[in-house]
Every structure is written in C-alpha cells, then in structure tokens.
Amino acid sequence: MAQPAYVQGTLDTLLSADGTVDPAALSLRDTTFVVLDLETAGGAPDGGGITEIGAVKVRAGEQLGEFGTLVNPGERLPPFITVLTGITEAMLAPAPPIEQVLPTLLEFLRGAVLVAHNAPYDVGFLKAACARHGYAWPQLRVVDTAALARRALTRDEVPNRKLGTLAQFFGATVQPTHRALDDAKATVDVLHGLIERLGSFKVYSLGDAIEFGKAVTPAQRRKRHLADDLPHAPGVYVFRAADDRPLYVGTSVDIAKRVRSYFTASEKRARMSEMINAATRVEAVECAHSLEAEVRELRLIAAHAPPYNRRSKYPERVVWLKLTAEAYPRLSVVRQLAEDDAAYLGPFSSRRTAELAAAAVYDAVPLRQCTHKLSIKTKTPACALAELGKCPAPCEHHITPDQYAVSAADPFRTATYGDPEPLVEALLTRIESFSQRERYEEAAVVRSRLVALLRAIVRMQKLRAVTSIAELVAARRNDEYGWEIIVVRHGRLAAAATSPPRLHPRPTLDLAMATAETVLPGPGPIPAATAEETERILAWLDRPDTRLVETSGDWVSPARGAARFTTLLTRAEAAGSRRESPVRSSVTDRSDDARSLRL
C-alpha cells in the first residue's frame, strides 16, 4: 500500500462542518498536546523501521500521561544507530512489533494535537506504518516545533534549530539523549518555551500557531492585523492603499475567513504578495447574500479598475456585430449600441472573437464583406470576392435589395432573436463537405467559427429573455439565514434582502420591492447592466431551489431559438479544446450532429 503523503494541518481543519469554531481547539492554553518522538533504524518510511516510541500528553503546562515502548523493527539494526542511541538488537528482540503498538498509540493520540520536532519525519513513519498494517490514520492537527523555532527565534539567539540547542536555550529539565521518551520530554519544554515566545507575535490560538510555523512572508506576518475585526458574513472586501486607492476587490461568503487566508502560507501568488505589501487597510461591505456580493464586486471592479484584479475590470471594452440598416446591409464591428433599426449580436469580449463570428456568417450566407456604402441607383466596381463567386455583387446590382435581404441579411437578423438554424445548417454542411474530402484542417477552422457564432447567439438570447422583463422577483431558501430574496429589473439587480428564519418572508419581500433601485432600460439585449452581472443573476435563477415569486411579464425563449443547439455547442467546444492534431473524429461528430438536426 502506498504511503500517505504528509500534509501540514491548516486553519480550515479547525472548523466544523457548519463553519463554526471550536474554542477549545483554538485556545493554546486549553488544547491537549501529545508531544511525540521516534527512534528508527534509518532509511525511508516504508511501514517499518521504528525502534522506539516516546510520547507525553500535556495541557496548560500540566503533564497528563506518558507513553513509551521499544519496537521490534523486524530488520537488522545498523551499527551506527546503536552507537547513536544505545539501542541494541538484544534490547529489541523481546519488544512488540509495530502492528501491536499502533492501536495503543492511536488511542493515546485520540482528541489531541500531535507535536514533534521535525514533524514530517515522525508523522511520515507513523502514517506509513498505519497504511501497511491496515489502520486508519486519524486526521490529527500537527505542530512542528522546528518550524515554529525557525520563525520565532533569530540566529543571534540560537545558531541552529536542533532539539539539543533549543532544549539548552529554553532550559529544559530533560536534555535530549537520542532516546524517544527523553527527547519527547525535552520537546515538551521547548514547546512551552515557544508558546511563551509566540505571545509577542500575537499568536494565541492553535490555528495561529499552525499558520505561524509555515513559510509566510514577513509582509504577511506584519500585515495580518488587517484581517482583525472583519465580519463573518457574506460580502465584498476591498484592500486599500495608503492614499485610499482600491488595490484589490474580492468576495466571499465569510469575509473575515477569506481575508485572513491572504496572510497564511496558502497564499502563494506573487501579485497578491505585492498587493499585501502596498495595502494599509481592508474595507468590508456586508451583503444580504452571496449573489449581492458577487454583483457588488463586479460593480466595484468596473468603477475603480483595481490594479491587482485581472478580470471584469473594463466591462465597457466589449464589441458588437452590427448589421447595418441600409439597402445592402453589411456587418460592422462597433463598440456602442444605438437606438436604430440595425440588428446587433454580442457582446464579444474582443474584436478577434467578433471577427471570428462574422467569418462564420460569411461562410453561411452571401453577405457582402466590403465597407462601401452602396447606392441602389449608382453601380460600384466589384471586388475580387465577386469574381470568385463569394459575393452576389450587390455593388453592380446583380441582385436586388429584396433578394439580398432574403438570401443574406434576414438569416442573420432572424438568428439574433429567433431561429439560427439556416446559419447553423449551412456551416455544418460546409464542415461535412470538408470532412468527406479529408480537408480536416479547413473543417476545424469552420468549426471554430461556428462555435464563436453559436455561443454568441445562445448567450444573447438568454440575456434578452430576462432583460426584457421590467421586474422579476425570486427567492431561495437558505437554512442558515432564511430566505434569500432578489428584485431584478431589466436584468439588473435592483434589490437584495434576506428574510430571517422562522418568519414569513412576505414583509421582507415587500420592503425590498418598495426600496429597489429604479431601472430605466436602454437599447440592446443588456439595457441596464453588464452581461456579466446579468449572467450571475441567471446562474442564481437557474438553481433548482430558486423560486420565482412575481414577474411583470413572461420569461420566455423562442420555441425554435438557439437554446436547442446547446448540446451541439458543447460538443463543438469540447472537440475544439482537444490537443491532438487530427480532427477527423471531431469533424465526424459534427457531421452526425448535422444529420440529427435535419431530422
């Protein structure tokens, strides 16, 4: 059986399933420690090799018990081990094997925090022995006195962190002798000395001690007071600089716990270390529930563009595909929605993605790609696309405006709010044609264009369905807080509230509706909020435990809208994300989808 890896305990292990903290577990004074030491035959921890175990149980400076025994390792003892420890093979011959010792030792450890000097070594041997002999390793919290000493003591105080050096520094009553019980007793005095020293670092709890022993940076240790006095509630936290500039905005269901994690060893991101160095305070904004926190986070990031946030900083930097309103419409990439008769598709996060979707439209319908403004009276010389048969040449009046609308413009316009099947069918047919001729690379290009187009259409139709509703009220039960309530107007979160448990939610709901933000719609499928905010609301509404309470209109999608192509989109995205270069199987899958859609 493979040896379980040693993992240092974290603050999260001090929390119960419901997130509450056990005060006895957190208080160093009230915590029961078992200080343990092993002597071994050397070598790697493979389930054997332990020659002696010594352990001392203490709490609040008082010794509660001792455990000590020799262990027959079942193997020859190297001479240098005998010289080092004084343990001989004759002493180990009558000793019990480790499988007989483990049950008593594990019972001795039950309910306590394990302490050892260079704990990974001792814990590694014990875990390997448990795994080898079929004993479940208890999920013990572990304190390493060597790690604590590296953080709490300077080189001027002790030249090294060996147990003998530390025992002498702290004036231990028992000096280590390379015998398990003596070394465990010496480690007890070292532990008590370190606990006294930790007070100067404002470390008073077990969780703080465990985190203190890890490799946190000086800045993290110096700034950890920024997490003090923050609420244990859902909301948004803002790290601010000395000039009060927002450096970083985040959200959590427990603000205090999340902010505290930035000052522990689990935070290893270089950007966050830089941010912590610059931060001087943390501001908390409590919210009614997690959805309001997510939305407030998005709005704060959009408003302030904090330098250490990577996502959602510039929601205004989106682009749209616009089908121009003229006799011979064309596609144009624009940054703003106008209140006109043009058809729009989007929003796209980048111009490249918008152009990829436009290329899919050009593959599906004979829409002109030139940028000229064409006249229905005056002809314009045709370009190379007309000569290649890829454009119906409306510039030379080879096609009437009505014919052009039916064959080229209307399929795109209809796809933005209704049925995109003509575009999807044309692209799938094109993919199938390339596949049959074994032109797989070209088929893969068309597939990527199909994904960009179909993803945008599905997304926009979902957004339009909810943003067209003037007011929507929904609620979901939260066993801890009661009912979470939201008021959504034109896709924007206008109000959020939480009804207390065991009380009827109607008064809270009525108050939320009465005090909700007034939202005036604008043009396009996202008239009052960013697409990301509305999508967060949609994800909340789509949860199975969410209930619709009231709506001012019907929440509907087109019967033959883009949603029915969701499975096709998922498969196409999965095929496009595969790393293998051959695309034969992917394209064949798309062809099968084309045939099934025609049915």
Side-chain angles (χ1 to χ4, degrees):
M1 184 179 297
Q3 175 199 346
Y6 167 74
V7 179
Q8 174 74 20
T10 66
L11 185 60
D12 294 338
T13 64
L14 301 172
L15 303 178
S16 59
D18 60 359
T20 59
V21 179
D22 179 4
L26 285 175
S27 172
L28 285 173
R29 177 179 177 81
D30 297 329
T31 299
T32 300
F33 296 101
V34 171
V35 184
L36 177 139
D37 185 78
L38 301 181
E39 298 300 331
T40 69
D46 58 0
I50 299 174
T51 60
E52 189 177 25
I53 301 175
V56 181
K57 183 176 291 188
V58 293
R59 182 174 62 239
E62 180 182 355
Q63 182 172 321
L64 304 180
E66 290 184 4
F67 177 93
T69 180
L70 292 169
V71 180
N72 189 333
E75 59 186 68
R76 296 296 300 271
L77 197 62
F80 78 91
I81 295 294
T82 299
V83 173
L84 179 67
T85 65
I87 299 174
T88 64
E89 290 188 350
M91 296 168 59
L92 298 178
I98 187 62
E99 59 266 29
Q100 294 181 14
V101 175
L102 280 175
T104 307
L105 175 63
L106 294 177
E107 183 62 31
F108 191 74
L109 291 171
R110 186 185 302 277
V113 174
L114 178 61
V115 179
H117 198 73
N118 292 320
Y121 181 83
D122 298 274
V123 173
F125 270 90
L126 290 178
K127 277 191 172 183
C130 287
R132 181 174 180 177
H133 298 290
Y135 292 97
W137 174 254
Q139 295 302 312
L140 297 171
R141 291 178 288 272
V142 178
V143 173
D144 187 350
T145 51
L148 289 180
R150 280 192 289 270
R151 310 285 178 253
L153 303 176
T154 66
R155 287 286 183 183
D156 293 335
E157 295 175 297
V158 288
N160 56 61
R161 274 66 174 181
K162 294 179 180 180
L163 180 58
T165 303
L166 296 176
Q168 184 175 2
F169 176 78
F170 286 115
T173 56
V174 177
Q175 290 299 311
T177 61
H178 291 292
R179 294 297 300 268
L181 194 55
D182 285 348
D183 288 6
K185 291 178 179 179
T187 306
V188 168
D189 290 334
V190 170
L191 173 66
H192 290 158
L194 287 170
I195 289 176
E196 290 181 6
R197 178 61 65 93
L198 292 179
S200 62
F201 294 95
K202 296 183 179 180
V203 175
Y204 306 110
S205 68
L206 176 60
D208 289 341
I210 291 174
E211 291 297 339
F212 184 84
K214 295 183 178 181
V216 298
T217 64
Q220 286 177 305
R221 187 171 292 114
R222 187 175 64 253
K223 297 291 185 71
R224 64 183 302 166
H225 69 277
L226 298 181
D228 295 343
D229 303 323
L230 294 177
H232 290 278
V236 178
Y237 54 89
V238 183
F239 282 85
R240 292 188 179 272
D243 59 359
D244 222 31
R245 287 182 304 112
L247 298 173
Y248 182 80
V249 178
T251 181
S252 176
V253 296
D254 187 327
I255 297 174
K257 179 182 175 184
R258 181 67 186 97
V259 172
R260 189 172 183 177
S261 70
Y262 286 92
F263 305 100
T264 66
S266 60
E267 180 54 73
K268 301 182 183 300
R269 293 173 292 178
R271 285 174 59 83
M272 292 299 100
S273 297
E274 184 180 317
M275 183 272 293
I276 289 170
N277 272 317
T280 59
R281 71 183 182 95
V282 179
E283 176 184 340
V285 182
E286 291 190 51
C287 297
H289 45 70
S290 59
L291 176 61
E292 184 190 9
E294 292 178 17
V295 170
R296 285 188 180 275
E297 178 194 34
L298 291 174
R299 294 178 185 178
L300 285 170
I301 293 174
H304 300 289
Y308 292 96
N309 283 94
R310 292 185 181 274
R311 302 179 60 183
S312 310
K313 289 174 66 171
Y314 305 106
E316 72 280 2
R317 294 183 183 178
V318 296
V319 296
W320 300 79
L321 272 183
K322 175 181 180 179
L323 184 67
T324 58
E326 53 184 311
Y328 295 105
R330 62 183 178 84
L331 290 180
S332 175
V333 178
V334 298
R335 292 194 176 275
Q336 298 290 336
L337 293 173
E339 296 190 36
D340 53 20
D341 295 329
Y344 291 89
L345 177 63
F348 295 93
S349 59
S350 66
R351 187 179 186 90
R352 178 182 175 279
T353 310
E355 291 174 346
L356 195 63
V361 177
Y362 297 141
D363 284 342
V365 293
L367 203 64
R368 70 184 182 98
Q369 302 181 39
C370 60
T371 58
H372 303 295
K373 186 172 183 179
L374 302 182
S375 169
I376 59 175
K377 296 180 179 180
T378 305
K379 295 183 179 181
T380 303
C383 63
L385 290 176
E387 297 177 7
L388 295 173
K390 294 185 177 182
C391 178
C395 50
E396 294 189 339
H397 298 172
H398 291 175
I399 186 172
T400 67
D402 290 340
Q403 292 172 332
Y404 182 84
V406 171
S407 63
D410 287 348
F412 175 81
R413 182 179 290 107
T414 304
T416 61
Y417 63 83
D419 189 2
E421 185 169 356
L423 300 181
V424 175
E425 276 283 335
L427 291 169
L428 289 173
T429 300
R430 190 173 179 86
I431 292 172
E432 187 175 5
S433 174
F434 282 133
S435 176
Q436 290 174 348
R437 288 180 285 165
E438 299 186 358
R439 295 166 62 178
Y440 302 115
E441 289 76 11
E442 293 169 271
V445 171
V446 178
R447 182 190 61 212
S448 65
R449 295 173 178 175
L450 169 64
V451 167
L453 176 64
L454 193 53
R455 184 191 294 132
I457 295 174
V458 170
R459 183 190 190 201
M460 193 173 77
Q461 290 190 8
K462 287 182 66 176
L463 291 172
R464 192 190 298 273
V466 70
T467 58
S468 61
I469 302 174
E471 183 175 82
L472 181 151
V473 183
R476 64 177 292 269
R477 184 184 293 278
N478 185 312
D479 293 335
E480 183 177 357
Y481 300 108
W483 283 93
E484 297 178 356
I485 298 169
I486 63 170
V487 179
V488 181
R489 292 175 176 171
H490 295 292
R492 181 180 178 86
L493 184 65
T498 300
S499 174
R502 296 181 295 279
L503 293 179
H504 198 284
R506 190 72 223 188
T508 304
L509 191 147
D510 290 339
L511 182 62
M513 294 175 63
T515 58
E517 175 187 359
T518 299
V519 178
L520 300 177
I526 48 173
T530 64
E532 195 169 359
E533 175 177 332
T534 304
E535 285 175 328
R536 298 288 180 92
I537 295 170
L538 277 171
W540 194 88
L541 292 171
D542 284 341
R543 296 177 63 167
D545 53 350
T546 300
R547 302 184 186 181
L548 291 182
V549 180
E550 296 179 9
T551 62
S552 61
D554 295 331
W555 184 7
V556 295
S557 296
R560 293 187 61 78
R564 75 185 200 276
F565 294 101
T566 303
T567 301
L568 170 64
L569 176 61
T570 301
R571 294 179 182 175
E573 288 175 328
S577 64
R578 293 172 189 158
R579 292 186 177 182
E580 56 267 22
S581 55
V583 296
R584 180 191 302 262
S585 60
S586 312
V587 174
T588 304
D589 291 343
R590 302 290 76 72
S591 302
D592 292 341
D593 285 328
R595 286 190 288 273
S596 65
L597 288 171
R598 293 189 184 98
L599 295 176

